Amino acid sequence: VRNFDRSQLSDSALLTASEQHDSDEYAAIAEHLADLGEIEARKLYAAAGYPTMVAWCMAKRNMREQKARKRVRIAQSARQHPALLHAIADGRLHLSAALLLLPWLSEENVDDLIRLSAHRSLTEVESLLREWTGRRNVSITLESPASSDDSGNMLSARTATTSDTPAESAEAPLTMTPPAPKPITLLVTVDEDGQTKLRLLRALLGHAVPSGEINQIFDWMMDLSIRHLEKRKYGATDRPRRSAKPVDPESRYIPAEVRRAVRERDADQCTFVSDDGHRCECRTRLEFDHIVPYAQGGGRTIDNIRLRCRTHNQYEAERMYGVEFMKNKREQAAKRARTETAEVDPDRDIVPWLRSLRFSAAEAKTGAKACAHIPGAPLEARMRVALQRLTRVRPRAAVNGVAV
Ligand SMILES: [Zn+2]
């Protein structure tokens, strides 16, 4: 039976007990993080019907989203850098400091960074990182890890010059994503090309966005892109019709009317159901999955196609064919995509997307080429690379106002 009555303890016994309980708490948190890391690695969240580890933590461990994101991030990083868990377990590193360090950790610097951050306040760790990185802002983002081209590698190059004064203001803040779903602020740098395009867009949008406000233009562009992508992905249309031309039975292409019907039947939601009956609630990045695999003669019929989130599409395939097989298959596909530029899956082809943004055919081709090295990346990521190449727009910071 637990005894929470402290009134009988002497002062020194109370302090000793309190110290013990603190250290028990740190150790328990580290154990808990190790659990999360292993649960994610075994994809037990997918088996339970959740698209991500964060969703699983929220549903099964009653964590609030922010807490779940933080813990999962640290747990993931600790798989690579177990030293983090040891530092957390013995109270040297608190979770907020660990979170701040994550984007910068590498094999080479992890021990140094932990040593320097030991028993430091959050503010002290922030200023330590500013010195290390030469950046004015070292806030973390919980949405996605700092983009690889912008963070990790830079630190090892800079470790030799930690005593340098931080770089001038040209070095913009890295990322900043506010914790709650408040409006976020984007700041992008647009070069001459981009400015020309923006002027053109403003002029063309005269009626649709009379104010010419950049946030409204941005909103309009997102709407357009979403409509366009939904159409490509799901065959969404205001005026559905049966496709007139007969489809090649050998083709993997899923006819638009099948995609529409499947989407309606599955209500735009992943159809994976766990053994204990939980249906995955994921409604983003859905994919059309063949129930009887295409390779085994499964047809492109409404009955044989279902919606699955990325996680569960992959999970099911791994369960059926084995993790190694699927890994090889993905690698082969990536290799093929690198060598063959001609044949592109229509859902993943970014050329029409670029064309809809009024890039010329030649520009669209250049954009597609620019992201040919990451064929396995999500469409958004590939679009970002293509647009960076075409407009040389670099996301830089996130302070007040969308600067143009
Ligand atoms: Zn799912």
Side-chain angles (χ1 to χ4, degrees):
V1 180
R2 289 189 180 277
N3 177 9
F4 296 120
D5 181 9
R6 303 287 189 268
S7 60
Q8 303 306 311
L9 295 180
S10 70
D11 290 352
S12 72
L14 177 59
L15 292 173
T16 309
S18 142
E19 198 178 345
Q20 182 58 47
H21 294 141
D22 278 350
S23 79
D24 289 351
E25 186 191 354
Y26 300 139
I29 290 175
E31 299 284 359
H32 154 80
L33 291 169
D35 296 341
L36 295 186
E38 186 66 22
I39 289 171
E40 180 167 34
R42 294 189 197 181
K43 295 202 177 168
L44 297 185
Y45 63 92
Y50 296 89
T52 62
M53 191 60 196
V54 170
W56 181 88
C57 286
M58 290 168 67
K60 293 296 208 186
R61 293 292 181 265
N62 279 320
M63 287 187 209
R64 291 182 40 196
E65 184 175 355
Q66 278 307 101
K67 179 176 172 181
R69 284 193 187 284
K70 286 178 189 173
R71 301 237 161 159
V72 169
R73 281 285 305 278
I74 300 174
Q76 286 167 341
S77 187
R79 304 279 295 176
Q80 277 175 287
H81 308 296
L84 275 176
L85 292 188
H86 291 281
I88 290 168
D90 54 30
R92 269 176 295 147
L93 195 64
H94 52 85
L95 294 184
S96 304
L99 208 54
L100 212 50
L101 294 183
L102 295 191
W104 310 99
L105 292 180
S106 72
E107 290 293 317
E108 295 77 43
N109 67 28
V110 59
D111 292 331
D112 285 344
L113 277 182
I114 288 176
R115 184 173 46 78
L116 290 168
S117 314
H119 306 294
R120 297 299 183 95
S121 72
L122 196 57
T123 321
E124 286 171 332
V125 176
E126 268 171 352
S127 85
L128 164 87
L129 276 175
R130 275 197 291 273
E131 216 173 277
W132 266 68
T133 62
R135 286 180 186 272
R136 283 185 306 147
N137 188 326
V138 292
S139 307
I140 49 115
T141 167
L142 285 174
E143 300 316 312
S144 58
S147 63
S148 52
D149 58 333
D150 226 353
S151 62
N153 308 329
M154 190 175 159
L155 189 53
S156 15
R158 279 198 160 267
T159 47
T161 59
T162 44
S163 56
D164 282 5
T165 44
E168 291 305 302
S169 55
E171 199 78 66
L174 181 63
T175 46
M176 215 172 94
T177 308
K182 297 175 217 154
I184 60 161
T185 309
L186 305 171
L187 179 66
V188 292
T189 310
V190 185
D191 70 1
E192 216 181 312
D193 271 6
Q195 290 168 34
T196 310
K197 280 176 199 157
L198 191 62
R199 271 195 296 274
L200 186 65
L201 191 60
R202 265 197 175 124
L204 289 166
L205 278 176
H207 290 292
V209 187
S211 69
E213 292 279 342
I214 186 70
N215 54 342
Q216 292 185 26
I217 294 181
F218 187 61
D219 200 51
W220 185 90
M221 290 198 299
M222 287 196 293
D223 280 345
L224 177 77
S225 314
I226 290 167
R227 268 202 309 278
H228 177 81
L229 291 170
E230 281 192 331
K231 195 172 163 191
R232 293 202 68 76
K233 196 170 176 85
Y234 302 118
T237 168
D238 298 333
R239 283 168 295 161
R241 58 185 170 85
R242 292 193 72 79
S243 55
K245 53 183 178 191
V247 277
D248 172 7
E250 292 299 306
S251 159
R252 285 189 80 149
Y253 177 75
I254 300 167
E257 67 258 26
V258 174
R259 286 186 281 162
R260 270 197 299 275
V262 168
R263 194 183 167 196
E264 203 167 289
R265 183 200 59 207
D266 296 345
D268 282 332
Q269 185 182 339
C270 174
T271 57
F272 182 89
V273 178
S274 70
D275 289 344
D276 60 4
H278 174 77
R279 177 173 174 184
C280 176
E281 285 163 20
C282 187
R283 292 172 177 279
T284 53
R285 297 181 67 201
L286 297 177
E287 301 176 350
F288 291 101
D289 175 44
H290 287 68
I291 297 170
V292 177
Y294 174 77
Q296 293 170 18
R300 294 157 302 151
T301 58
I302 297 166
D303 289 344
N304 194 45
I305 308 276
R306 63 189 166 190
L307 285 181
R308 281 287 161 95
C309 70
R310 180 111 195 89
T311 298
H312 285 119
N313 202 357
Q314 229 168 57
Y315 177 75
E316 199 83 68
E318 284 173 0
R319 221 161 47 162
M320 191 172 294
Y321 299 109
V323 176
E324 271 310 299
F325 179 85
M326 288 311 292
K327 200 174 144 225
N328 283 340
K329 217 176 141 201
R330 278 197 294 274
E331 280 166 5
Q332 275 170 17
K335 213 165 151 188
R336 254 201 323 276
R338 274 197 297 274
T339 44
E340 299 170 19
T341 42
E343 261 287 300
V344 191
D345 179 343
D347 282 347
R348 302 187 49 81
D349 189 1
I350 66 168
V351 169
W353 210 98
L354 289 168
R355 293 284 283 143
S356 78
L357 290 176
R358 291 181 169 268
F359 286 104
S360 71
E363 284 172 327
K365 221 168 160 184
T366 309
K369 223 182 244 173
C371 57
H373 64 291
I374 45 165
L379 182 67
E380 303 88 295
R382 295 162 67 245
M383 274 306 296
R384 204 158 48 228
V385 172
L387 286 173
Q388 273 176 22
R389 169 70 185 77
L390 289 170
T391 62
R392 290 178 211 91
V393 175
R394 279 181 61 78
R396 278 187 62 203
V399 211
N400 299 318
V402 175
V404 181

